[in-house]
Amino acid sequence: SGIPLRILDILGSGGFVISNLQPELLEYFEPDYDIVIYHDMKDLVEKVQYYLDHEEARLAVARRGLDKVKELFTFEDRLKKMLGMTSQSSATDV
């Protein structure tokens, strides 16, 4: 379980992601806004075709995905999460 590092790598480099549904993705990302999630192979094929035909929509999703990763997956944030610290703690508390 968890968000695959590959997804964060792709989004963090400005790439576009279509992924199968993984519950943890929904904790951080909004489907069809900053990441695209498919539910079965038919849905995957339809979404791939749509985003190949609609470059502006694909680029907008990728841009929002990059923004989300930059906002929520900073080194400081991940370190606090690993150490079980709340967002109210400051870096000096480490």
Side-chain angles (χ1 to χ4, degrees):
S1 94
I3 298 174
L5 183 56
R6 177 61 55 132
I7 288 178
L8 297 177
D9 288 344
I10 294 167
L11 292 172
S13 64
F16 174 78
V17 171
I18 297 181
S19 176
N20 62 317
L21 178 61
Q22 299 176 45
E24 294 83 6
L25 289 173
L26 301 178
E27 294 175 21
Y28 297 95
F29 300 101
E30 183 179 338
D32 300 324
Y33 182 76
D34 43 33
I35 193 170
V36 175
I37 295 175
Y38 68 90
H39 302 283
D40 57 34
M41 291 307 289
K42 182 178 185 275
D43 189 35
L44 173 61
V45 170
E46 290 172 359
K47 288 181 177 182
V48 166
Q49 190 58 58
Y50 173 83
Y51 285 105
L52 285 174
D53 292 341
H54 297 88
E55 182 176 11
E56 289 297 320
R58 185 177 72 246
L59 293 174
V61 170
R63 188 171 37 255
R64 290 187 297 260
L66 172 60
D67 291 344
K68 184 68 67 88
V69 168
K70 287 168 42 176
E71 173 189 346
L72 298 177
F73 292 90
T74 64
F75 179 75
E76 182 179 340
D77 175 65
R78 296 295 91 196
L79 184 58
K80 286 179 180 180
K81 183 105 171 145
M82 287 187 296
L83 296 175
M85 298 171 64
T86 65
S87 60
Q88 295 175 346
S89 300
S90 69
T92 59
D93 294 339
V94 176

